[in-house]
Amino acid sequence: MLTAKKLVKVYNTVPAVRNVSITLEPGQIMALVGASGSGKSTLLNLLAGLTDADTGEVRLNDERVLGPSEVLVPGHKDIRLVHQEYQLMPNVSVRENIAYALRFFEKSYRDFRVNELLKLCRLTDVQDRIPRQVSGGEKQRTAIARAIADKPAVLLLDEPFSHLDLPNRLIVRDLLFDLVRHEQTSCLFVTHDATDALSIADTLGILRDGKLIQLGTPVAVYHQPVTAYAARMTGLVNILKAKYLSLLDLPESDNPESLICLRPEQLKLDDTGMPVTVRAVYFKGSHYELDVAVSRYVSLRLLTSRTDIQVDQVVHIRLRDNELWRLKG
Ligand code: ADP
């Protein structure tokens, strides 16, 4: 189990990580989502023992993870970090890149384990090519295979989905599922885009300005975000002041300035609903996203499978249920 307790890191006067505590159980996948500059990379480096914390500590089971100022070779043997740049050896094959991580093991075990990793990481077909001859997704999976070769307890990944096309994102998703299931590795990844995190992580955290402002299941964070930032980081959302609820035929709340979070799928087209004007129609493949004007100052996004909606058309909308989520800030 990896635990971080009240980690703090300040660069000069810039607080990069502020009082962050997390627990990562074996076989668990955690995603930390935050905008650029929210402290994701700094936190990963602290967890990996590659940056010294100002205060607080990281522990792997009962052992404290030492920072670079306390050891000769920075890092912990049971915690691996896969960077965005992959850092592969350019002149040797995919297979040899992975085997290098096992160079101190007996050859028969090394061969067996490399074959297993090639299969797990879907690299068997490209194992004899050098990094320059494989795709970005294959390079990344080589870096992951190398990182997990000698079965570390914890795998940390920096933006593992951001440079990949959809088929490769799905491969990495399946790979992480297989890894935690078969090897009980704990995975933590950071990302600025929660799309993949929602479907992969058991636990999702929201980082803002170095602070972990929310931690929970993806379902809980998506439906009950604590702030407008947490809501926006986890998907498309309508945020409107309570005083405008009457425009949707809903009772206003005690505090007219409080913010209401309405996911687009909470709204539907319904002939008995409130009339609104369509401002834009976006084709999304499986559905359309509509931007509708409720009043001069309020517009909302909603989703529909109807194909006949045009810009400037008047349609009627309604809330699917009267469950409203109020934000704290
Ligand atoms: P993210 O990975 O979410 O983009 P970072 O951890 O890289 O965020 O950065 C968090 C904050 O710390 C930013 O304000 C950044 O400018 C600052 N920072 C990061 N690394 C350094 C450094 N080596 N020296 C000074 N400031 C840094």
Side-chain angles (χ1 to χ4, degrees):
M1 184 167 77
L2 184 76
T3 52
K5 222 191 238 168
K6 297 189 173 175
L7 284 180
V8 174
K9 179 73 189 175
V10 179
Y11 289 112
N12 304 321
T13 54
V14 181
V17 169
R18 299 200 268 179
N19 227 12
V20 170
S21 299
I22 52 168
T23 301
L24 187 62
E25 307 275 354
Q28 193 189 4
I29 304 182
M30 184 183 287
L32 296 178
V33 182
S36 176
S38 59
K40 302 184 294 295
S41 307
T42 306
L43 183 56
L44 274 187
N45 283 314
L46 289 169
L47 294 174
L50 299 173
T51 295
D52 289 307
D54 294 344
T55 56
E57 63 172 18
V58 179
R59 295 188 91 85
L60 183 60
N61 302 324
D62 290 329
E63 181 197 348
R64 197 165 75 79
V65 175
L66 302 175
S69 64
E70 299 169 285
V71 287
L72 225 48
V73 183
H76 187 286
K77 69 175 178 41
D78 279 322
I79 304 173
R80 292 293 149 71
L81 170 56
V82 177
H83 292 278
Q84 280 180 273
E85 305 85 38
Y86 314 145
Q87 297 163 336
L88 301 177
M89 295 183 286
N91 299 320
V92 301
S93 68
V94 163
R95 184 180 183 93
E96 287 164 297
N97 262 287
I98 300 169
Y100 185 74
L102 298 164
R103 61 194 177 284
F104 300 122
F105 289 81
E106 242 178 56
K107 185 175 179 323
S108 57
Y109 172 74
R110 186 164 64 227
D111 289 346
F112 163 79
R113 178 67 177 152
V114 172
N115 287 335
E116 194 174 54
L117 288 162
L118 288 167
K119 204 163 150 218
L120 177 74
C121 297
R122 287 74 165 166
L123 289 165
T124 308
D125 293 346
V126 299
Q127 59 178 299
D128 295 322
R129 297 198 207 155
I130 59 171
R132 184 162 51 79
Q133 296 166 333
V134 301
S135 69
E138 288 158 347
K139 275 197 210 69
Q140 183 208 38
R141 298 204 297 280
T142 307
I144 294 176
R146 187 185 54 183
I148 60 173
D150 60 351
K151 306 195 177 182
V154 180
L155 177 66
L156 307 172
L157 302 132
D158 192 359
E159 300 272 2
F161 300 99
S162 63
H163 301 305
L164 302 181
D165 54 19
L166 182 61
N168 273 299
R169 295 216 304 270
L170 296 179
I171 295 176
V172 176
R173 183 188 70 179
D174 291 347
L175 188 170
L176 295 184
F177 281 143
D178 287 350
L179 180 66
V180 298
R181 193 177 315 127
H182 298 311
E183 311 207 344
Q184 280 294 295
T185 311
S186 310
C187 286
L188 182 147
F189 67 91
V190 299
T191 178
H192 64 275
D193 176 359
T195 319
D196 299 286
L198 286 173
S199 61
I200 295 170
D202 306 300
T203 307
L204 191 142
I206 305 287
L207 271 179
R208 182 174 197 183
D209 298 334
K211 265 197 198 145
L212 189 61
I213 60 165
Q214 189 166 12
L215 192 66
T217 63
V219 172
V221 179
Y222 183 82
H223 289 298
Q224 289 146 16
V226 286
T227 62
Y229 174 86
R232 291 200 182 97
M233 289 311 295
T234 44
L236 196 61
V237 67
N238 299 295
I239 293 172
L240 75 162
K241 288 188 176 167
K243 64 183 174 192
Y244 296 123
L245 285 172
S246 56
L247 294 172
L248 289 169
D249 216 6
L250 293 166
E252 284 180 31
S253 69
D254 315 337
N255 179 359
E257 293 299 315
S258 67
L259 296 177
I260 305 296
C261 161
L262 270 184
R263 294 290 182 186
E265 61 275 14
Q266 286 178 269
L267 294 162
K268 63 175 177 179
L269 295 176
D270 182 329
D271 289 342
T272 62
M274 298 299 285
V276 295
T277 307
V278 176
R279 293 204 321 189
V281 180
Y282 302 102
F283 177 52
K284 293 285 182 175
S286 60
H287 60 271
Y288 288 84
E289 184 186 314
L290 307 181
D291 180 357
V292 299
V294 183
S295 75
R296 215 165 129 195
Y297 305 108
V298 180
S299 67
L300 295 170
R301 296 281 173 123
L302 70 148
L303 312 176
T304 180
S305 54
R306 273 176 59 177
T307 56
D308 60 324
I309 311 285
Q310 310 280 337
V311 173
D312 291 335
Q313 184 178 337
V314 173
V315 293
H316 295 80
I317 64 166
R318 175 176 293 288
L319 208 63
R320 279 187 197 278
D321 54 48
N322 280 2
E323 291 275 308
L324 290 177
W325 180 251
R326 229 164 280 275
L327 298 166
K328 295 194 179 81

